């Protein structure tokens, strides 16, 4: 038995009036998306300044003194706003082991003390970022050479010992020479 009737077809689904892509619908969709983005933007908390992580100098300083017997220096009784932000003891130029303790200044710049035994000219050149020597100052009765590099802001104060067997000390960073001088004035041998 055959039927000559055409097969039954399902009626086509009705399309949404929003799917027709009219300009008005696109503008409404865009406004809804912008509204969601604005809510997210104002709901998410943002930090205005980066906080300096808490750095504990004493533990590593004790280890360095025990290993080397060096009279390494740290900042002592620094003015308000100076915060320890880095400490390490690692090999550097000419395979010299270097004590490094860094501080964030009240102006949010960086100043560090770097010390090694019998520092070489190459080590000084590397730590001062090959800056030219511009001046000499006296701090706490010691002569310090001033190095200033304007291209990549780095200032340094270098104290070379009078005889072998003493620590060569560099106070360096993107802090001003005035701030580096403050750190040099407040340096004291670690005792802990």
């Amino acid at each position: 038995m055959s039927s000559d009737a055409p097969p039954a077809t399902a009626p086509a689904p009705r399309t949404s009036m929003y799917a027709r892509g009219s300009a008005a619908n696109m503008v409404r969709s865009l406004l809804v998306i912008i509204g969601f983005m604005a809510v997210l933007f104002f709901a998410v908390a943002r930090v205005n300044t980066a906080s300096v992580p808490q750095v504990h100098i004493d533990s590593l300083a004790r280890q360095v003194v025990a290993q080397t017997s060096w009279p390494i220096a740290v900042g002592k009784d620094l003015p308000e706003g100076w915060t320890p932000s880095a400490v390490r003891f690692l090999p550097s130029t000419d395979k010299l082991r270097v004590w490094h303790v860094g501080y964030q200044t009240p102006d949010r710049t960086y100043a560090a003390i770097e010390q090694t035994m019998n520092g070489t000219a190459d080590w000084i050149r590397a730590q001062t970022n090959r800056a030219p020597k511009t001046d000499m100052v006296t701090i706490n009765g010691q002569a310090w050479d001033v190095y200033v590099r304007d291209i990549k802001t780095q200032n340094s104060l270098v104290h070379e010992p009078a005889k072998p067997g003493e620590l060569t000390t560099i106070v360096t960073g993107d802090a001003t020479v005035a701030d580096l001088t403050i750190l040099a004035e407040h340096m004291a041998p670690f005792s802990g």
Side-chain angles (χ1 to χ4, degrees):
M1 299 196 200
S2 115
S3 157
D4 289 338
T9 58
R14 191 177 149 160
T15 59
S16 166
M17 63 184 244
Y18 293 108
R20 293 185 188 144
S22 71
N25 286 338
M26 289 188 341
V27 168
R28 280 188 281 260
S29 295
L30 184 60
L31 289 174
V32 168
I33 291 170
I34 290 172
F36 281 126
M37 295 301 290
V39 167
L40 283 174
F41 178 79
F42 290 110
V44 174
R46 282 172 294 289
V47 178
N48 288 337
T49 59
S51 61
V52 176
Q54 188 72 4
V55 173
H56 301 287
I57 297 169
D58 293 359
S59 175
L60 183 58
R62 273 190 214 93
Q63 290 175 13
V64 171
V65 170
Q67 288 175 10
T68 64
S69 298
W70 293 358
I72 58 173
V74 295
K76 185 169 179 163
D77 299 325
L78 285 162
E80 186 175 331
W82 285 75
T83 309
S85 60
V87 62
R88 59 185 172 264
F89 185 62
L90 297 171
S92 183
T93 307
D94 292 339
K95 298 181 183 176
L96 295 171
R97 294 182 300 165
V98 177
W99 165 250
H100 173 101
V101 59
Y103 298 87
Q104 186 176 61
T105 70
D107 298 331
R108 304 261 187 243
T109 58
Y110 188 73
I113 300 168
E114 300 202 357
Q115 293 181 300
T116 193
M117 185 63 68
N118 303 321
T120 63
D122 285 341
W123 180 76
I124 292 171
R125 209 173 2 268
Q127 302 312 308
T128 60
N129 208 355
R130 291 167 174 58
K133 188 185 322 183
T134 60
D135 200 1
M136 198 277 294
V137 294
T138 301
I139 301 170
N140 295 338
Q142 294 181 325
W144 293 77
D145 293 321
V146 179
Y147 292 76
V148 175
R149 181 169 176 169
D150 292 328
I151 298 168
K152 292 181 179 179
T153 303
Q154 181 173 348
N155 300 309
S156 303
L157 302 174
V158 178
H159 172 69
E160 294 184 72
K163 57 186 177 187
E166 294 180 356
L167 294 175
T168 302
T169 302
I170 299 177
V171 178
T172 188
D174 64 353
T176 63
V177 172
D179 278 342
L180 296 179
T181 301
I182 289 171
L183 181 55
E185 288 170 342
H186 286 84
M187 279 185 358
F190 173 77
S191 59

